[in-house]
Amino acid sequence: MTLQLTDDQQALLAGASGPAVQLAMRLVTRMAAVTSAVSLLPITRAHVDGCLYHGQVSLDFARTLAEGGGVVRVPTTLNVGIIDLLHPELFRGPREVAAAGRDMMRHYRAMGCRQTWTCAPYQLVDRPDPGEQVAWAESNAIVFCNSVLGARTERYGDFMDIAAALTGWVPATGLHTDEGRRARVVVSVEGIPLAVQERDVFFATLGHFVGTNVAGMIPAIVGVPTATEDQLKALGAAAASAGAVAMFHVVGVTPEAPTLDAALGGRAPERTVRFGARDMAEGMAALSSTRSQRLGAVSVGTPHFSLTEFERLHALFAGRPVSEAIAFYVSTGREVLQAVADRGWEAELRRLGVKIVTDTCTYLTPILAPQPGAVMTNSAKWAWYAPGNLGYEVVFGTLEECVESAVRGDVWRDDALRALIEA
Amino acid sequence: MMQARDVLVAGEARGPVVALSEPLSFWGGVHEREGTVIDVHHPQHGVSIAGRVLVMPSGRGSSSSSSVLAEVIRAGVGPAAIVLATADPILVIGALVAEALYGTVVPIVVLSPDDYARCASARELEVLPSGRVNLAQ
């Protein structure tokens, strides 16, 4: 069977809605052919990652679509851009890159996209319902959308995301279908005390392990009785960055996995992988690129910090200032920041020396000093990308360790947590 | 002579082979102005893909790889062609956008496991619009 298009879809492909939609429809139909889809299905929302500047092509593409009359057909949110529009002075890169990035952001606005500028669109008040068919880009957003919200998206990337938004159509395949959402492997968490499972690093290292060991597949995770959205965010982001995982189930926790059998679609798993205390300890060690005690900066909020994470950060600082030797960065979305400001936490955190970055992220764009010394983070995704992208040495730890280290001015380790893991 | 199982992007190209033993993410993995592999975790870290026929099992990782592939093609440091063992829509979209914006065609084909292995050990390859792949003499 080859791809069947309706008359309306054919008309878009023939240019009836202008050159921008025609180009977008060419991308959608070619992707459908590559993925062996036989039809297209309508989406109700889109989340666009293509608004991040990756070079001249990003700008050329956005301009071509905007000047070609492209307007989104469904409500469309924007992922991060290359600069913090609210705090542009934080950008340390070349001026022409900032200008190009700003220009590109203007084109996406002209096409009718909402100015959300966040990699965590699932933290917005208005977010997809379970079962909704959407087209989301950005690997952490994709995995959260499928796994935690129970809304359905394939792994859309740059160009395809806005193409879906401009046409309203995507290939009817993969994660949009019941069969495409079934778990094929089981990841069994064994011998890790619940007191350890409550910590952010448990979910980050489990996610990293999942990405490394079941890359590209959908796992059903058993042995994790409870998890918050923040914890599932950490799990998904790590699994997506280390191994292109676009969906996971946590049995008894995520919406499509009331039971293991339901997650597996009634079939036997192809294999079962165990995640134990040793895997966790090894994973935590592997995510640090240095054992240095000296620290120059701390970066949290990859993916963007949520309101509940800010609440916790505020409590952990407990009024103590960041050491003068340390630059402490938090990346978040502007909608969340507004809620943080409304509670009075933004002003207090800034007074303590915390630098808050919106609209972008510290692992994508030069915000930290060129030679910041080792950087501490509780994000497995940041730890995975920053050494290659930005050339930083990374110390991976819990949020508590990040805050204590920032207050003291050098790396502080939670020995009690390590004793619990190794017990 | 080999025939592609799938022609993802049709076109003609010829060049020396750079064969990768593991999938590569263009985003975070390829230098946008130089066309070299910069992923420190990748076994072929440091090699150039510019003007080469890139033979690799599949794409990997970030959904931003479409942009980086299109950008290296625009900058003239992209691969001449891409030969895969598994279809990858993210690379196809990047190549299609580069073609639409700049008129540069980078063919992408998927080969059977046997043919893929032959390509991976070849020195030079030619890819034809029909999906025919020849070991260059």
Side-chain angles (χ1 to χ4, degrees), chain A residues 23 27 30-31 34 49 54-57 60-61 64 138-139 155-160 241 363-364 384-385 389, chain B residues 8-9 27-28 32 41 60-64 66-68 70-71 74 87 89-90 92-94 96-97 100-102:
Chain A
L23 172 56
L27 297 183
R30 185 64 74 90
M31 182 161 178
V34 172
D49 187 26
H54 288 291
Q56 184 65 37
V57 68
D60 291 343
F61 184 69
T64 300
E138 213 305 304
S139 65
R155 286 177 57 211
Y156 295 107
D158 292 355
F159 311 136
M160 251 312 287
S241 53
Y363 81 103
L364 292 167
W384 178 253
Y385 282 127
N389 282 6
Chain B
L8 304 182
V9 177
W27 184 79
E32 289 159 16
H41 305 288
R60 182 185 73 76
S62 171
S63 48
S64 295
S66 308
S67 283
V68 179
E71 178 63 15
R74 185 200 66 80
I90 285 177
V92 173
I93 295 297
L96 284 178
V97 167
L101 294 180
Y102 311 115

Side-chain angles (χ1 to χ4, degrees), chain B residues 20-24 55-59 83-87 116:
Chain B
L20 305 187
S21 54
E22 283 182 17
L24 172 71
V55 178
M56 66 174 177
S58 65
V83 173
L84 300 169
T86 310
Y116 176 82

Side-chain angles (χ1 to χ4, degrees), chain A residues 17-382:
Chain A
S17 292
V21 177
Q22 183 177 30
L23 172 56
M25 200 62 178
R26 278 179 55 205
L27 297 183
V28 171
T29 52
R30 185 64 74 90
M31 182 161 178
V34 172
T35 55
S36 306
V38 296
S39 63
L40 305 180
L41 62 78
I43 52 162
T44 51
R45 299 165 190 262
H47 179 68
V48 167
D49 187 26
C51 47
L52 178 66
Y53 182 78
H54 288 291
Q56 184 65 37
V57 68
S58 307
L59 183 55
D60 291 343
F61 184 69
R63 189 197 301 114
T64 300
L65 293 180
E67 290 178 355
V71 174
V72 296
R73 292 194 164 195
V74 294
T76 300
T77 48
L78 291 175
N79 206 66
V80 297
I82 197 135
I83 49 171
D84 180 340
L85 292 165
L86 300 182
H87 317 99
E89 70 283 0
L90 292 171
F91 184 73
R92 294 178 196 252
R95 187 175 300 178
E96 61 272 20
V97 169
R102 206 185 296 267
D103 233 15
M104 215 173 66
M105 293 160 107
R106 191 165 51 75
H107 293 310
Y108 280 96
R109 190 162 48 216
M111 286 188 273
C113 303
R114 267 186 71 198
Q115 306 297 294
T116 49
W117 305 117
T118 181
C119 61
Y122 43 83
Q123 290 170 1
L124 298 170
V125 172
D126 180 20
R127 62 185 198 174
D129 290 323
E132 222 178 305
Q133 298 283 6
V134 301
W136 275 25
E138 213 305 304
S139 65
N140 105 84
I142 292 165
V143 70
F144 195 98
C145 177
N146 282 316
S147 315
V148 186
L149 300 183
R152 299 183 170 208
T153 182
E154 247 306 320
R155 286 177 57 211
Y156 295 107
D158 292 355
F159 311 136
M160 251 312 287
D161 47 18
I162 188 71
L166 293 176
T167 61
W169 298 105
V170 294
T173 186
L175 289 154
H176 289 289
T177 68
D178 290 344
E179 173 60 20
R181 301 173 71 80
R182 189 169 69 76
R184 290 172 187 277
V185 294
V186 171
V187 174
S188 176
V189 174
E190 296 174 6
I192 298 183
L194 289 179
V196 173
Q197 292 200 17
E198 288 168 359
R199 310 300 287 271
D200 49 356
V201 286
F202 165 71
F203 287 90
T205 48
L206 172 59
H208 188 73
F209 177 90
V210 166
T212 310
N213 287 275
V214 302
M217 302 180 85
I218 302 179
I221 300 166
V222 295
V224 179
T226 171
T228 65
E229 287 201 358
D230 292 332
Q231 292 167 335
L232 295 171
K233 170 178 81 167
L235 197 174
S241 53
V245 171
M247 182 170 186
F248 61 84
H249 301 276
V250 178
V251 175
V253 175
T254 56
E256 292 170 60
T259 63
L260 178 58
D261 197 49
L264 290 163
R267 279 176 259 181
E270 290 168 22
R271 62 194 164 98
T272 296
V273 185
R274 282 172 182 76
F275 179 77
R278 173 182 281 190
D279 300 302
M280 182 171 169
E282 286 175 2
M284 285 172 67
L287 284 165
S288 291
S289 68
T290 176
R291 299 181 72 86
S292 165
Q293 286 296 113
R294 293 193 49 203
L295 201 61
V298 176
S299 179
V300 300
T302 304
H304 275 172
F305 235 41
S306 69
L307 184 60
T308 47
E309 286 173 313
F310 268 109
E311 182 177 19
R312 180 144 178 68
L313 185 73
H314 180 253
L316 286 170
F317 270 109
R320 299 172 300 164
V322 176
S323 157
E324 281 178 10
I326 306 287
F328 195 107
Y329 289 92
V330 187
S331 302
T332 190
R334 46 172 72 188
E335 186 179 295
V336 166
L337 183 59
Q338 186 58 54
V340 171
D342 291 345
R343 284 160 179 76
W345 301 336
E346 182 191 0
E348 186 174 347
L349 286 168
R350 286 191 190 279
R351 191 170 50 73
L352 299 176
V354 172
K355 299 177 201 303
I356 300 176
V357 179
T358 58
D359 302 345
T360 186
C361 187
T362 55
Y363 81 103
L364 292 167
T365 191
I367 285 179
L368 271 60
Q371 300 289 335
V375 185
M376 194 165 192
T377 185
N378 68 339
S379 163
K381 179 170 181 162
W382 203 93

Side-chain angles (χ1 to χ4, degrees), chain B residues 60-119:
Chain B
R60 182 185 73 76
S62 171
S63 48
S64 295
S65 288
S66 308
S67 283
V68 179
L69 174 59
E71 178 63 15
V72 291
I73 295 172
R74 185 200 66 80
V77 294
I82 303 176
V83 173
L84 300 169
T86 310
D88 182 349
I90 285 177
L91 296 178
V92 173
I93 295 297
L96 284 178
V97 167
E99 185 180 343
L101 294 180
Y102 311 115
T104 307
V105 180
V106 173
I108 305 182
V109 296
V110 182
L111 296 186
S112 69
D114 285 354
D115 287 345
Y116 176 82
R118 285 176 68 194
C119 286

